[in-house]
Amino acid sequence: MTLYDIIFYLFALVTISSAYLVVTVRNIVYSAFSLLFTLFGIAGLYALLGADFVAIVQLIVYVGGILILMIFGVMLTNKITNVQIKTGVFQILPATIGVGIFGGFLLAVLLNTNWLNLNVKDSPATTFQLGQLLMNEWVLPFELLGIVLLIALLGAASIARK
Amino acid sequence: MEAPLKYIFDSIQYLKPEVAVSIFLAILVTVDLVLGKKNKQVLPYIALAGLVITGYFVTQQFGTSAFASVQHNIGNFGLIAVDSFGNYFKLIIILSSIFIVLFSISSIEIKQVFDRHGEYYSLIFGMMLGMMLMVSSADLILIYLSIELVSLSSYVLAGFTKQSLRNSEASLKYIIYGGTASGIMLFGISILYGIMGTTNLYAINTILQNGAFQPLALIISCILIFTGFGFKISAAPFHFWTPDVYEGAPIAITAYLSIASKAAGFALLIRFIKVTFIQTIGEDGYWQLLGVIDWKSFLIMISILTMTLGNFSALWQDNLKRMLAYSSIAHAGYMLLGLAVFSDQGVMAILIYFLIYLFMNLGAFFVVMLIANKIGSEEIDEYDGIAYKTPLLAVSLAVFLISLTGLPPTAGFIAKLYLFIALVDAKMIAVAIIALLNTVVSLYYYIRVLKHMFLTKPKVEGERITIGIADTVVLLAMLIPIFLFGLYFTPIVNFAKNSIALLGF
């Protein structure tokens, strides 16, 4: 096991365990804080995969922006800490069977597939290439994303208005 | 160094309809902002103008067959395939959008939220842009993005009026199911990328043609991707959202979801399967698929499940919107059979079916909406003896429902006829018989509405229901094609025959 592997498993452990806490913890503030570690762990995984720009964006936008806003929202909402969220488990048997079968298939795929391997350990910085691609070959999806965001804004405004 | 903006200038000639929709989306937002509260009644007419102009650009494009937004590093395949098949579906989407705008003008539900009309029409245009890209995209990233654009707009539109609990429930259920479905689809796409190294369908096809595939990962990823498509066309077992959302959403939006969104989903599914897995097309028009996945058995299974579930659940629905929701699930099942044939004839049957389905389903929803405008309900018991209060509406609804069943001399018969011909021609007799039996079952619940309208005496004597001139014209615009295409169907058959060509195949 190399140092790279150890760091990977560390980040993976942080991501998965905090994600588990997000859905099981009864207090919504704890839940929001666990989400912080989940998003942080994912940023670490991106960095390990050589996607430096995506990792930084993940940190700035999700960890730095969206999550802080969410925690503010939670904190400013009156009496929110006293609200008991339902975290019960329903239909345990069918869920176990379903998850078991699906997980088994995924595990089989994971082990039996000859994945394409990219050498990410010493890949160059991606920011410049990403910018070039987004303005050339991928300009159409990039522009489309702008419209998707506009629609999301319009929709959010429409839902929030009386 | 490449010329600046080269990629934009190279493809803009093929993207005129999409550009027109985006520009009108911007115009709608701006006009709504500038005009303020008073002059909102001008918005639907701007929307109509935009739709007509977009439709003009689409008809100009018929016959073109080219890639837009070309990727030079992966064998000159593009993100978007402009071809007759895509243009046919774009035309269906635009036609249904025109009707939906006309519906919205006379819908009481939509009138009540007068101050949010700007958002309403902008969201419809956003949804339309997404659907037009869905029917023509040839790249998994663009497919995901366009599906997401359609979904985001339709989540908001489904709960747009916010008048009742039912309405908000529809929106919330839709967003939860939809979010899960697109998450699963994205997971499938990521597995596919992990084994192929490209997201372009044509490039994946080239790799598969060379025989380099790993069945297990490919099958799992395709099933996961199918989840996303199946959700959009509401095929069983991904149909659970349909009745609740259709019942809760404003009727104009329900009609839109049942036609346009479904058409886009079908076009995407057909393109995905054909472009990715085709090996050769035989002289007789039958497709030879690569033997990686047994798509035929898979699709037949899904479609029989879909139509049977849809038809049998529709039997005991007392709400007309809910019944039409189950009926639209059943129709998706019939149309999936057209794909399962895997021949040009099957695709032609789907194209004919969709054009006719557009008129009959929109018509049924329009009548339900006009009646709901007056009596404020879609419950079947409220329709008792409604034929005496409004003969025109009752007779029109009867025609639309008979056409949905597929009886002559309505256009619905022609739609089913071509589908069954394609099935029999492919020697899928057993499947054709199951579909036929399903049609018989559907007869019961469609005719049940007629019984309530014409034969049952009303519990309370209500006043007559009258409709305005504009509504009558819109109604006739859907009623006349039902009879016209039922008797004189050569033009649409020829039109569909000329539109089955996908780019490259």
Side-chain angles (χ1 to χ4, degrees):
Chain A
M1 202 183 246
T2 60
L3 185 64
Y4 184 87
D5 291 343
I6 294 173
I7 299 173
F8 172 80
Y9 284 114
L10 203 68
F11 275 122
L13 189 73
V14 168
T15 312
I16 292 176
S17 54
S18 60
Y20 179 77
L21 283 179
V22 172
V23 289
T24 47
V25 163
R26 275 170 180 271
N27 190 319
I28 196 163
V29 180
Y30 293 162
S31 194
F33 270 108
S34 308
L35 195 60
L36 185 79
F37 287 101
T38 314
L39 297 172
F40 175 74
I42 290 170
L45 291 178
Y46 282 144
L48 277 180
L49 287 170
D52 51 351
F53 181 74
V54 184
I56 290 168
V57 169
Q58 166 86 9
L59 271 183
I60 295 175
V61 175
Y62 282 96
V63 184
I66 292 176
L67 202 80
I68 299 298
L69 266 182
M70 258 169 73
I71 293 177
F72 259 111
V74 170
M75 296 286 196
L76 291 177
T77 312
N78 196 16
K79 287 185 190 166
I80 193 103
T81 44
N82 301 332
V83 176
Q84 288 294 310
I85 309 165
K86 253 194 181 157
T87 53
V89 183
F90 303 104
Q91 305 281 5
I92 186 94
L93 190 67
T96 318
I97 294 172
V99 169
I101 292 173
F102 187 59
F105 271 117
L106 284 187
L107 201 65
V109 169
L110 186 70
L111 296 177
N112 294 324
T113 306
N114 198 4
W115 300 103
L116 285 176
N117 274 317
L118 297 172
N119 187 11
V120 292
K121 285 180 197 171
D122 42 29
S123 60
T126 57
T127 315
F128 181 73
Q129 296 165 1
L130 214 59
Q132 288 260 309
L133 282 175
L134 281 181
M135 277 295 131
N136 287 313
E137 279 99 334
W138 293 90
V139 67
L140 182 82
F142 183 64
E143 297 293 336
L144 185 64
L145 259 179
I147 294 179
V148 173
L149 288 179
L150 173 69
I151 291 295
L153 267 178
L154 275 174
S158 162
I159 289 175
R161 260 171 79 175
K162 262 192 184 164
Chain B
M1 192 65 203
E2 282 161 329
L5 302 180
K6 171 177 175 292
Y7 283 88
I8 296 178
F9 286 129
D10 280 356
S11 2
I12 199 120
Q13 51 170 325
Y14 301 119
L15 295 174
K16 278 181 200 153
E18 284 81 2
V19 172
V21 176
S22 318
I23 289 175
F24 270 91
L25 169 64
I27 291 178
L28 280 169
V29 175
T30 322
V31 167
D32 178 48
L33 205 65
V34 173
L35 283 186
K37 283 215 160 122
K38 292 226 167 99
N39 300 305
K40 297 221 176 199
Q41 57 271 37
V42 60
L43 288 170
Y45 301 102
I46 296 179
L48 281 178
L51 288 169
V52 171
I53 290 172
T54 315
Y56 169 76
F57 282 131
V58 172
T59 48
Q60 287 293 302
Q61 241 177 26
F62 263 98
T64 340
S65 196
F67 281 116
S69 196
V70 178
Q71 313 268 291
H72 294 292
N73 52 347
I74 50 159
N76 286 337
F77 298 126
L79 296 181
I80 287 191
V82 183
D83 48 25
S84 306
F85 174 81
N87 282 328
Y88 185 93
F89 273 101
K90 278 180 200 170
L91 222 52
I92 284 187
I93 289 164
I94 290 166
L95 203 56
S96 62
S97 309
I98 290 177
F99 276 118
I100 295 308
V101 172
L102 293 173
F103 284 19
S104 308
I105 293 174
S106 57
S107 164
I108 296 270
E109 283 173 304
I110 304 298
K111 272 184 197 155
Q112 280 169 344
V113 286
F114 193 67
D115 55 331
R116 286 190 289 133
H117 264 195
E119 282 97 324
Y120 180 77
Y121 291 106
S122 316
L123 285 169
I124 284 189
F125 266 63
M127 192 169 162
M128 211 175 82
L129 177 68
M131 291 186 295
M132 287 170 67
L133 286 168
M134 259 169 90
V135 302
S136 52
S137 53
D139 191 286
L140 290 168
I141 291 179
L142 198 61
I143 286 175
Y144 171 72
L145 258 183
S146 48
I147 287 188
E148 218 38 22
L149 181 54
V150 175
S151 303
L152 272 177
S153 341
S154 44
Y155 299 151
V156 181
L157 285 173
F160 195 78
T161 60
K162 298 194 279 190
Q163 298 290 328
S164 63
L165 215 58
R166 229 174 43 160
N167 201 248
S168 314
E169 184 194 330
S171 187
L172 192 64
K173 272 194 177 151
Y174 201 13
I175 204 167
I176 291 173
Y177 280 110
T180 315
S182 54
I184 290 174
M185 186 182 72
L186 206 54
F187 192 45
I189 291 176
S190 71
I191 293 179
L192 197 59
Y193 180 73
I195 51 175
M196 293 297 169
T198 172
T199 50
N200 194 293
L201 300 184
Y202 289 86
I204 292 176
N205 181 259
T206 317
I207 296 173
L208 288 175
Q209 295 266 17
N210 293 333
F213 45 75
Q214 313 184 44
L216 186 67
L218 199 60
I219 289 173
I220 294 286
S221 66
C222 283
I223 289 177
L224 295 181
I225 293 174
F226 185 83
T227 308
F229 298 168
F231 172 80
K232 274 272 160 268
I233 62 175
S234 59
F238 316 111
H239 68 284
F240 292 102
W241 60 278
T242 318
D244 291 329
V245 172
Y246 280 23
E247 190 186 346
I251 302 183
I253 296 306
T254 308
Y256 202 39
L257 288 177
S258 75
I259 313 281
S261 159
K262 210 166 261 203
F266 259 98
L268 181 54
L269 181 65
I270 295 170
R271 191 183 291 280
F272 175 73
I273 292 181
K274 190 171 180 187
V275 169
T276 316
F277 294 100
I278 198 151
Q279 198 165 25
T280 48
I281 299 182
E283 288 290 315
D284 48 358
Y286 281 91
W287 309 347
Q288 196 68 45
L289 292 193
L290 293 156
V292 204
I293 301 176
D294 191 0
W295 277 109
K296 192 164 206 149
S297 321
F298 181 69
L299 285 177
I300 288 177
M301 210 171 66
I302 295 269
S303 63
I304 288 179
L305 192 67
T306 307
M307 69 173 91
T308 315
L309 260 172
N311 276 325
F312 278 89
S313 314
L315 286 180
W316 37 80
Q317 298 307 324
D318 287 329
N319 183 301
L320 226 59
K321 259 163 109 185
R322 214 175 163 82
M323 187 206 89
L324 284 172
Y326 279 111
S327 117
S328 91
I329 295 176
H331 282 277
Y334 298 130
M335 285 185 268
L336 265 181
L337 279 184
L339 176 60
V341 175
F342 287 127
S343 69
D344 287 349
Q345 205 182 4
V347 171
M348 189 182 91
I350 296 181
L351 295 184
I352 296 173
Y353 205 113
F354 248 113
L355 190 61
I356 292 171
Y357 177 68
L358 176 130
F359 288 109
M360 56 195 189
N361 215 27
L362 279 182
F365 274 116
F366 187 56
V367 175
V368 171
M369 185 187 88
L370 288 179
I371 294 177
N373 273 352
K374 293 289 186 315
I375 66 174
S377 161
E378 298 109 20
E379 295 298 318
I380 202 164
D381 290 336
E382 303 281 331
Y383 278 63
D384 284 350
I386 211 153
Y388 303 103
K389 297 178 201 163
T390 166
L392 175 66
L393 286 183
V395 170
S396 315
L397 185 57
V399 170
F400 292 132
L401 291 180
I402 287 170
S403 183
L404 280 169
T405 323
L407 296 177
T410 56
F413 173 68
I414 303 301
K416 288 236 164 58
L417 183 69
Y418 272 89
L419 197 67
F420 284 118
I421 290 175
L423 283 176
V424 172
D425 199 56
K427 307 202 173 47
M428 290 157 66
I429 309 289
V431 182
I433 289 174
I434 294 176
L436 206 61
L437 289 176
N438 259 291
T439 311
V440 176
V441 173
S442 74
L443 184 65
Y444 171 77
Y445 61 82
Y446 289 130
I447 297 302
R448 186 168 154 238
V449 180
L450 300 200
K451 180 194 147 235
H452 276 273
M453 287 195 305
F454 290 97
L455 299 178
T456 316
K457 282 263 172 284
K459 282 193 264 328
V460 279
E461 290 293 325
E463 55 189 299
R464 288 183 64 84
I465 300 172
T466 48
I467 58 168
I469 301 283
D471 290 340
T472 317
V473 171
V474 176
L475 185 63
L476 287 179
M478 287 174 291
L479 198 59
I480 292 170
I482 298 284
F483 286 113
L484 191 69
F485 294 151
L487 300 169
Y488 180 60
F489 48 87
T490 334
I492 53 166
V493 172
N494 286 336
F495 183 32
K497 200 177 267 169
N498 293 330
S499 305
I500 46 175
L502 263 80
L503 178 58
F505 302 104

